[in-house]
Amino acid sequence: MTDNPLLIIGFVLVAWWTTTGLVFALNRAPRASFMWSFAVATSVMAMGFAGIGMASETTSGGALFASFIASLAVWCWIEIGFYFGFVTGPRTKPCEPGCKGLRHFGHAIGVSLYHEIAILTAGSIIAALTWGMPNQLALWVFVVLAVMHQSARLNVFLGVRNVSAEWVPDHLPFLHSFLRKRPMNWFFPISQVLSIGAFVALIWCLVAAPFPALNRTFFWFLLALLGVGIFEHWLLILPLPRPATDLWRIWEAGPYAVSSPVKTPAQASANTPAKTIPEPKIYQPPRELRPKSNLPSSLAVGSLEPAQSIMFSQLGRKHP
């Protein structure tokens, strides 16, 4: 049962969506809760390291699932530490207008230096825990997460079409100066050639089975996780009707969460009041064409599918 590809892919997608949403939700909570949330995350990370050590001794299906979750728990601590502002870098001010090139890149490294050190340290601990062990899935999961994370950050730094600046925390306003919006950058094709090449290599490992000692579940986990990373990269660059991260705002606070106050980079740096995005106009058919229903009117048209309604309204088409 644990080697079912559909089960593994579904598990990876649910785990990715849930943990990402959790990080976003905690980041939007009152700052007074940050210390408690970070303490809980630190405890979960410690349990993750312990779980990696125990699960590394066997390649059973259950141990592989446990390794994936444990590695993801460690990664969540790194992300929470950065977005909370606890593990960022020595630089805490934005770049001056006109700053570019290697100087600008050096400033970007200064903003996240401690974050990068935390990634290297956690990866080293996982490598030590799994060194010489039969189950090294946790290490490779962490490697995929770290590489795709750095690739996405570099793409955002160089410029992508869909920059969701509203997700930059208010307590980290200097990050706005490192976001750039442009249709394409020179690194994106390179990152995709390498990522898709690794994806094809994992498929070959599943088909040709060059490593008989490794469970096929091992490769399915990496394949699914890498696929999610590639998908996230394309969300940054494709011409979408609405930034992909708006899905999290719908998930977190309902279909009208997109009308919450949002600060532009200029407003964030100037500390001016946030700008409110108007609520999207959702198509509703004439009253005589609406289906009769015993449900409340708020559920009769459109409300059961908020994401679809907003998408169709942005495309200028009528909701079916």
Side-chain angles (χ1 to χ4, degrees):
M1 182 64 179
T2 55
D3 61 350
N4 186 326
L6 293 179
L7 173 64
I8 297 170
I9 294 173
F11 182 81
V12 170
L13 289 175
V14 170
W16 164 76
W17 186 272
T18 303
T19 53
T20 304
L22 178 62
V23 172
F24 281 162
L26 291 175
N27 183 47
R28 292 166 68 87
R31 290 201 66 186
S33 66
F34 281 13
M35 189 61 69
W36 291 104
S37 297
F38 193 64
V40 172
T42 302
S43 301
V44 173
M45 179 191 65
M47 290 187 289
F49 281 131
I52 289 171
M54 291 185 290
S56 65
E57 299 176 357
T58 175
T59 58
S60 65
L64 291 172
F65 273 80
S67 296
F68 178 83
I69 287 295
S71 187
L72 199 59
V74 175
W75 183 258
C76 282
W77 180 89
I78 293 173
E79 290 291 274
I80 290 173
F82 180 79
Y83 284 110
F84 279 14
F86 294 162
V87 188
T88 53
R91 183 181 178 87
T92 57
K93 61 180 181 179
C95 275
E96 300 81 4
C99 183
K100 58 184 179 179
L102 291 178
R103 184 165 173 261
H104 187 50
F105 183 71
H107 291 164
I109 293 177
V111 163
S112 61
L113 180 61
Y114 304 149
H115 174 70
E116 314 299 343
I117 293 175
I119 292 175
L120 291 174
T121 302
S124 300
I125 294 174
I126 294 176
L129 290 171
T130 59
W131 188 266
M133 294 296 181
N135 178 8
Q136 296 188 346
L137 177 63
L139 174 62
W140 286 102
V141 164
F142 192 87
V143 168
V144 171
L145 288 169
V147 171
M148 297 305 285
H149 170 72
Q150 298 293 1
S151 174
R153 291 184 64 196
L154 184 55
N155 272 290
V156 170
F157 173 79
L158 294 174
V160 292
R161 185 187 302 271
N162 302 312
V163 179
S164 296
E166 66 270 19
W167 283 106
V168 175
D170 290 338
H171 53 276
L172 301 175
F174 50 88
L175 294 182
H176 284 283
S177 63
F178 299 97
L179 304 179
R180 185 178 181 185
K181 188 171 184 177
R182 58 191 301 191
M184 178 64 71
N185 66 75
W186 62 266
F187 180 69
F188 183 81
I190 297 174
S191 66
Q192 290 311 288
V193 167
L194 295 176
S195 300
I196 295 174
F199 190 84
V200 173
L202 287 172
I203 294 176
W204 177 76
C205 288
L206 281 169
V207 174
F211 308 105
L214 292 177
N215 194 321
R216 286 171 61 86
T217 305
F218 176 92
F219 294 109
W220 276 116
F221 267 113
L222 297 181
L223 191 70
L225 186 61
L226 183 58
V228 169
I230 293 172
F231 174 72
E232 278 188 324
H233 274 65
W234 282 97
L235 288 180
L236 295 173
I237 214 75
L238 289 176
L240 301 175
R242 184 174 287 275
T245 50
D246 278 358
L247 294 175
W248 288 117
R249 297 158 89 180
I250 295 170
W251 174 84
E252 181 183 352
Y256 297 105
V258 291
S259 62
S260 58
V262 172
K263 289 186 178 181
T264 65
Q267 290 171 332
S269 60
N271 217 13
T272 56
K275 177 183 178 182
T276 300
I277 296 177
E279 295 178 356
K281 295 180 179 179
I282 300 176
Y283 169 77
Q284 293 191 5
R287 184 175 300 276
E288 62 270 14
L289 297 181
R290 297 181 189 179
K292 294 182 179 180
S293 173
N294 294 325
L295 293 173
S297 59
S298 61
L299 297 180
V301 180
S303 297
L304 292 177
E305 298 174 344
Q308 273 193 350
S309 300
I310 293 176
M311 181 182 71
F312 278 99
S313 66
Q314 290 294 313
L315 292 175
R317 295 182 290 183
K318 296 182 177 181
H319 193 288

